[in-house]
Amino acid sequence: MKRPLEPFRIKVVEPVKLVSRQEREKLIRAAGFNIFKLPAEKIFIDLLTDSGTSAMSDYQWAGLMQGDESYAGCRNFFHLKETIHDIMGYDYILPTHQGRAAENILFSTLLSKNDVVPSNIHFDTTRANIEYLGARAEDCVIEEGLNSELKHPFKGNLDLQKLNQVYKRYGKNKIPLVCLTITNNSGGGQPVSMENIRQVAEFCRRNRLLFFLDAARFAENAYFIKMREKAYGKTKIKQIVKEMFSYADGCWVSAKKDALVNIGGFIALKDEKLFQKLQNLLILREGFPTYGGLAGRDLEAMARGLYEVLEEDYLSYRIQHTAYLGNLLIAAQIPVVQPIGGHAVYIDVKKFIPQIPQSQFPGQALTVALYRQAGIRAVEIGSLMFATKNPKTGRWIYPKLELVRLTIPRRVYSASHLEYVAEAVIAISKKREQLKGLKLVYEPPFLRHFTAVLKEIE
Ligand SMILES: *Cc1c(COP(=O)(O)O)cnc(C)c1O
């Protein structure tokens, strides 16, 4: 298997340590079998998330020194604004401290109780922000996107028939906006095609609906378009990105992903009136509109990262690097979502551990096993994160996909690290019938996976 070739070399190192098996056992119990509660220093390879975990370049670090920490009108804001205008084409920007703050400000402004927001698949913070306002988040991804085995180049695409059904059922007045998550994080990091973005935009224009992109991984999505969509094989990434955003009224971005920074986010949009409304809420919640909850230096690192992520040798390495882990697992017959997405490899847990029912959180059980086995932290994207209670019957509705995500931070781990991870998964698969289900001891009212406490079922 071809090892991915890194288009960078190492200038600074950060030691990582594998604590003993005994200590790992003690720690996972103390954490209530919830990997979010483990001290990060006790983790050897941390694949919890690609969010805010990127390694910044020397150019970005140098940018931190050039942070202008003026309260209003710092130069880094103008640099960021020009950058976003250049890359995405939007005139108005609102920096936020991260993606969910952008969601909160956008949805608090646009949504009323009982409204409906369709998307391909809503990311967990997106769904939570919508539901917190008493509105509904409707997932309309194509059926192929729900089948982990089917190979389709754009499994993140939105099904226009499903969108039309939602539109017919609730009506225009109940749908303040339509979104598309690019790439589709909760559906396996799968890309959305340019054709699909265009069709959704066309649907929204015809029905006079706002259309926003949840664009945390816009560059990875653009690279997939270049690789997989015929008409774009020779188009420059920068041009693909510009076209993607041209179809939408605006976007929100968690800059902790493709902007290659450790903190940050923004909303960018075309309409001045909506911008003004959002700005008022931004001042209340995040800060003055030229810093929005960030330091000037953070804005600078973000502006520089947004350009770096468009470099084709970086994107080619990035996508190959993630696929390298995926292909090692596929070669060992581990069931993973295919094709491999941009930022993570997803294990299909229903197939990996069929004996544990979703009511006993098999995905969470696998994350526990990975830590026990090898000091690796992965994350469950399944029944613990997404199960909902039917308000009428009180019965639990489980998500179709039960996944464990091995998320690859950008520019952080080597190919040897990925080989170590693959070996651990393969070792677990050889004793998978010994894995135990879990039950909840404590759960908060929303986003329960972050703080839930669980117990093993003996
Ligand atoms: C990470 C993410 C968010 C939320 O952003 P945060 O920076 O974590 O608050 C929203 N949508 C998508 C698709 C994401 O990946």
Side-chain angles (χ1 to χ4, degrees):
M1 223 163 285
K2 201 168 156 248
R3 289 175 133 237
L5 190 60
E6 292 85 355
F8 49 82
R9 57 185 177 182
I10 297 164
K11 180 140 62 182
V12 177
V13 296
E14 181 184 6
V16 287
K17 202 171 158 223
L18 180 61
V19 299
S20 72
R21 172 111 202 182
Q22 233 176 347
E23 197 175 344
R24 297 200 296 273
E25 185 62 38
K26 227 189 306 176
L27 286 160
I28 194 70
R29 286 178 184 276
F33 298 95
N34 185 345
I35 48 82
F36 280 100
K37 295 190 172 181
L38 288 169
E41 281 195 321
K42 304 293 183 191
I43 288 156
F44 185 49
I45 308 275
D46 199 349
L47 305 184
L48 176 65
T49 176
D50 64 327
S51 180
T53 54
S54 299
M56 293 205 296
S57 67
D58 53 355
Y59 183 60
Q60 285 177 292
W61 279 105
L64 295 187
M65 284 308 294
Q66 292 176 7
D68 167 0
E69 306 306 340
S70 309
Y71 188 92
C74 72
R75 68 170 169 255
N76 315 105
F77 170 78
F78 296 108
H79 184 203
L80 178 66
K81 186 174 148 124
E82 277 161 32
T83 301
I84 290 171
H85 180 76
D86 180 37
I87 293 175
M88 302 175 171
Y90 298 127
D91 288 328
Y92 301 99
I93 75 153
L94 303 111
T96 60
H97 80 276
Q98 61 182 85
R100 70 198 67 185
E103 290 170 346
N104 185 302
I105 286 166
L106 186 68
F107 296 146
S108 304
T109 305
L110 291 175
L111 302 193
S112 311
K113 217 174 164 206
N114 298 324
D115 277 348
V116 179
V117 184
S119 184
N120 40 3
I121 300 184
H122 289 276
F123 180 63
D124 59 349
T125 60
T126 318
R127 173 175 286 277
N129 265 302
I130 292 168
E131 290 175 352
Y132 187 72
L133 292 162
R136 281 175 71 93
E138 285 275 353
D139 293 337
C140 302
V141 75
I142 56 171
E143 282 303 309
E144 289 91 333
L146 299 171
N147 182 328
S148 74
E149 275 173 0
L150 262 179
K151 287 194 186 149
H152 181 289
F154 293 104
K155 286 169 90 170
N157 280 359
L158 181 143
D159 184 329
L160 278 117
Q161 262 175 334
K162 288 187 189 172
L163 175 61
N164 198 33
Q165 279 162 10
V166 171
Y167 181 75
K168 288 214 170 111
R169 192 168 344 129
Y170 298 98
K172 171 181 162 44
N173 295 333
K174 286 272 167 234
I175 304 177
L177 79 163
V178 176
C179 338
L180 266 181
T181 316
I182 57 169
T183 58
N184 192 23
N185 190 357
S186 301
Q190 299 291 325
V192 178
S193 71
M194 191 74 87
E195 187 189 19
N196 194 248
I197 297 174
R198 210 182 292 125
Q199 287 167 342
V200 175
E202 177 53 35
F203 180 91
C204 291
R205 192 161 344 107
R206 225 176 24 245
N207 296 296
R208 303 242 211 100
L209 301 170
L210 269 182
F211 173 37
F212 269 70
L213 295 172
D214 179 0
R217 296 176 186 79
F218 69 96
E220 290 170 9
N221 199 86
Y223 190 76
F224 281 118
I225 287 177
K226 184 173 172 110
M227 291 298 114
R228 297 182 186 171
E229 201 163 344
K230 265 212 183 82
Y232 294 90
K234 292 207 169 71
T235 316
K236 288 226 156 58
I237 289 292
K238 200 173 166 205
Q239 231 172 307
I240 294 176
V241 166
K242 192 68 153 282
E243 184 178 337
M244 279 166 21
F245 286 104
S246 73
Y247 297 121
D249 296 295
C251 68
W252 73 91
V253 170
S254 165
K256 299 170 74 172
K257 323 303 177 20
D258 270 357
L260 299 171
V261 287
N262 304 119
I263 193 74
F266 59 88
I267 302 170
L269 71 166
K270 292 175 179 166
D271 182 54
E272 189 180 6
K273 285 223 174 73
L274 178 56
F275 165 74
Q276 283 166 345
K277 275 196 215 161
L278 296 169
Q279 188 167 262
N280 294 331
L281 209 52
L282 184 80
I283 293 171
L284 191 68
R285 298 217 172 129
E286 293 281 283
F288 190 75
T290 61
Y291 74 85
L294 293 168
R297 55 179 172 270
D298 298 325
L299 300 173
E300 187 58 34
M302 208 196 300
R304 294 180 182 208
L306 284 169
Y307 277 122
E308 279 180 14
V309 81
L310 300 180
E311 283 166 17
E312 305 215 2
D313 60 350
Y314 161 75
L315 282 171
S316 156
Y317 145 79
R318 167 69 176 160
I319 301 303
Q320 277 184 57
H321 188 247
T322 305
Y324 183 62
L325 174 59
N327 289 331
L328 290 173
L329 296 181
I330 291 167
Q333 265 119 43
I334 307 293
V336 297
V337 175
Q338 294 195 51
I340 305 299
H343 68 291
V345 176
Y346 295 75
I347 298 174
D348 184 335
V349 181
K350 280 189 186 170
K351 296 201 184 96
F352 192 71
I353 330 175
Q355 81 275 15
I356 304 179
Q358 276 186 296
S359 58
Q360 294 180 13
F361 310 113
Q364 190 70 9
L366 178 54
T367 65
V368 169
L370 277 163
Y371 184 68
R372 273 189 174 136
Q373 174 74 27
I376 296 163
R377 178 156 67 173
V379 64
E380 186 251 28
I381 301 196
S383 42
L384 185 62
M385 190 181 273
F386 283 130
T388 51
K389 222 177 219 166
N390 181 322
K392 282 185 197 123
T393 63
R395 287 195 26 197
W396 285 99
I397 307 162
Y398 294 103
K400 282 189 198 159
L401 293 173
E402 180 81 17
L403 304 172
V404 162
R405 187 180 72 185
L406 301 162
T407 338
I408 319 291
R410 294 169 183 77
R411 308 191 287 205
V412 171
Y413 290 116
S414 69
S416 321
H417 286 131
L418 298 185
E419 286 161 15
Y420 173 84
V421 172
E423 280 164 21
V425 175
I426 293 163
I428 292 169
S429 99
K430 291 190 176 137
K431 50 182 181 190
R432 58 179 103 177
E433 63 291 335
Q434 294 166 22
L435 298 185
K436 291 176 189 156
L438 296 160
K439 66 178 178 200
L440 280 161
V441 178
Y442 162 77
E443 64 174 311
F446 49 84
L447 294 176
R448 65 177 178 174
H449 53 287
F450 286 135
T451 53
V453 177
L454 301 105
K455 208 170 107 174
E456 279 188 317
I457 299 170
E458 295 301 334

